[in-house]
Amino acid sequence: MFRHLSKRKLEIQMETVLKKPQHIISLATAGLLVNVDIHVWTATKQNRDISDEITTTKKASKESGRFIEHLLANDPDHKRVVNYRQTVYNWMKRRTYSWSGAQEYLPQIDLPKFDKEFKNHKLAFEELVEAFTSKYPSIVSNMAFVQGDMFDRSNYPDVNYISSKFSINMYTSEVPLGDHRCAIARDLADDLFENYSKQTSSIIERVMVKQSEQLINVMTSLSHCCGVEETLGKDGETKIKKRKIYDTTVSRALELCDTFKSFNLTNNLALEEARQSLEAALRGVNLEMLRESDAVRENVKDSIDDILSKFRPVIGESF
């Protein structure tokens, strides 16, 4: 494509091509990549002797099964540490947008709160580790009775080694702009640009879809909570019961309004209109008012139901 152009024209053409995907710039300026890395000691070990014993008894091939020892027999203190890894993973998925591998995309506006929440998770994780390691010697002693003939003291490292197997760290990096493309052969630039643009478009689409899902989910939850339930009493009379409204639902709705005000990669009109409408519906309203005032609850519910009826149909068309 570029072979018959002069050197200067070639450079201008390349600059134009490499600057085409404006959304790449949007991604880079609007957010960053984050990864929370958690390591735990799983306290599991394959017991080859028992595996061979079982497969031999069952007249099966040695490759057809294996026996995994749970060295701590699901000790509750150890289990709490291991399970907290999933807690952090779930938090990451709620807070960020899918990027690639272990890296997730985080809007810049959410970084201060994300960092604060991570520090809280780190503290909670380290406290669980401390609670477990402080009991570790006595847990190992107890395993001599729990594990029976399977117990092997050599399977249990000292407490200092065990402590080093637990860690939690957060890593951040800038969104790559693909500048490395300038160093490749010119005749490959188009192919790389096309591939990179497709990847970027896919990432942006996933972000926008998740934003829409987040907004719909919180509005659906708010609408449900602001509604009432009819129950038939023992006296045969129909009773009206207000549903419980949770502070986390209201705060999450306001948080999304605040985030999406600054973080809308494609300036999507449907998303912005829904955000503005939700913000207006909750303006001047607090949790106490929603719990105490039937009129406020009804007004908020009607407003949100109206937003949902308008927002749902245009999601697929707007991206």
Side-chain angles (χ1 to χ4, degrees):
M1 172 182 178
F2 300 119
R3 289 175 181 172
H4 302 297
L5 297 176
S6 67
K7 183 177 179 181
R8 181 53 191 152
K9 287 182 178 179
L10 179 63
E11 291 174 351
I12 294 174
Q13 184 71 34
M14 281 299 298
E15 289 173 2
T16 302
V17 168
L18 296 178
K19 290 179 180 178
K20 278 182 182 178
Q22 292 301 314
H23 291 324
I24 297 179
I25 306 300
S26 298
L27 284 169
T29 57
L32 70 162
L33 303 182
V34 295
N35 175 38
V36 174
D37 194 20
I38 302 181
H39 292 281
V40 299
W41 181 53
T42 60
T44 58
K45 180 180 181 295
Q46 181 181 356
N47 190 314
R48 296 186 181 277
D49 291 337
I50 296 179
S51 297
D52 293 344
E53 180 182 333
I54 294 174
T55 53
T56 300
T57 301
K58 297 297 181 180
K59 300 178 181 179
S61 166
K62 291 184 178 181
E63 288 74 32
S64 52
R66 60 179 180 173
F67 184 83
I68 303 297
E69 283 189 65
H70 292 269
L71 299 175
L72 300 180
N74 283 328
D75 172 77
D77 288 291
H78 176 260
K79 196 172 182 178
R80 276 189 282 270
V81 182
V82 175
N83 288 348
Y84 201 78
R85 178 173 54 180
Q86 185 65 40
T87 298
V88 174
Y89 174 81
N90 293 340
W91 163 73
M92 276 281 290
K93 287 300 178 184
R94 287 195 306 270
R95 273 273 167 223
T96 59
Y97 300 89
S98 177
W99 184 263
S100 175
Q103 287 185 311
E104 301 289 333
Y105 184 82
L106 177 72
Q108 286 281 2
I109 190 174
D110 285 347
L111 179 58
K113 186 167 186 178
F114 183 88
D115 184 58
K116 181 179 179 181
E117 290 176 353
F118 167 74
K119 289 175 180 176
N120 291 336
H121 280 301
K122 182 178 176 68
L123 179 62
F125 178 79
E126 290 174 345
E127 288 176 347
L128 290 174
V129 172
E130 175 62 28
F132 163 65
T133 53
S134 65
K135 298 178 183 178
Y136 178 71
S138 61
I139 293 173
V140 174
S141 298
N142 186 51
M143 287 303 108
F145 301 98
V146 175
Q147 298 280 39
D149 292 341
M150 291 194 303
F151 181 77
D152 182 351
R153 187 63 183 80
S154 65
N155 287 333
Y156 299 86
D158 66 68
V159 68
N160 291 327
Y161 175 82
I162 293 300
S163 296
S164 70
K165 303 299 287 184
F166 295 92
S167 65
I168 176 171
N169 295 289
M170 180 176 75
Y171 302 96
T172 63
S173 62
E174 295 180 349
V175 176
L177 295 178
D179 292 337
H180 61 281
R181 293 174 296 175
C182 297
I184 67 169
R186 301 298 189 183
D187 55 354
L188 295 180
D190 262 359
D191 290 338
L192 183 55
F193 161 71
E194 182 179 357
N195 181 58
Y196 196 74
S197 294
K198 286 179 180 178
Q199 292 177 1
T200 303
S201 297
S202 177
I203 290 169
I204 290 175
E205 183 177 354
R206 290 200 301 268
V207 170
M208 298 302 295
V209 168
K210 182 171 181 177
Q211 284 184 292
S212 295
E213 290 174 347
Q214 288 174 318
L215 208 55
I216 287 174
N217 289 341
V218 78
M219 288 193 292
T220 301
S221 180
L222 265 176
S223 174
H224 176 78
C225 292
C226 287
V228 297
E229 293 178 351
E230 293 186 359
T231 57
L232 193 63
K234 294 181 179 180
D235 55 3
E237 294 290 329
T238 300
K239 299 182 182 297
I240 304 298
K241 181 182 178 182
K242 293 189 292 187
R243 296 192 180 105
K244 186 173 182 180
I245 299 179
Y246 298 91
D247 176 56
T248 51
T249 304
V250 179
S251 61
R252 179 60 174 159
L254 293 171
E255 180 183 294
L256 289 178
C257 286
D258 188 47
T259 296
F260 295 171
K261 184 176 182 179
S262 302
F263 183 64
N264 186 339
L265 289 173
T266 62
N267 293 319
N268 183 269
L269 292 178
L271 184 68
E272 176 57 15
E273 287 174 2
R275 184 204 68 78
Q276 289 182 7
S277 298
L278 177 58
E279 188 176 57
L282 296 177
R283 188 175 295 125
V285 176
N286 57 41
L287 185 62
E288 185 178 353
M289 293 168 64
L290 287 172
R291 286 175 174 171
E292 301 297 329
S293 173
D294 292 343
V296 172
R297 290 169 68 103
E298 185 176 352
N299 183 58
V300 169
K301 177 174 172 54
D302 289 344
S303 298
I304 290 176
D305 287 343
D306 183 58
I307 300 169
L308 285 169
S309 68
K310 295 175 181 177
F311 185 50
R312 288 181 189 271
V314 297
I315 294 177
E317 302 171 4
S318 304
F319 303 143

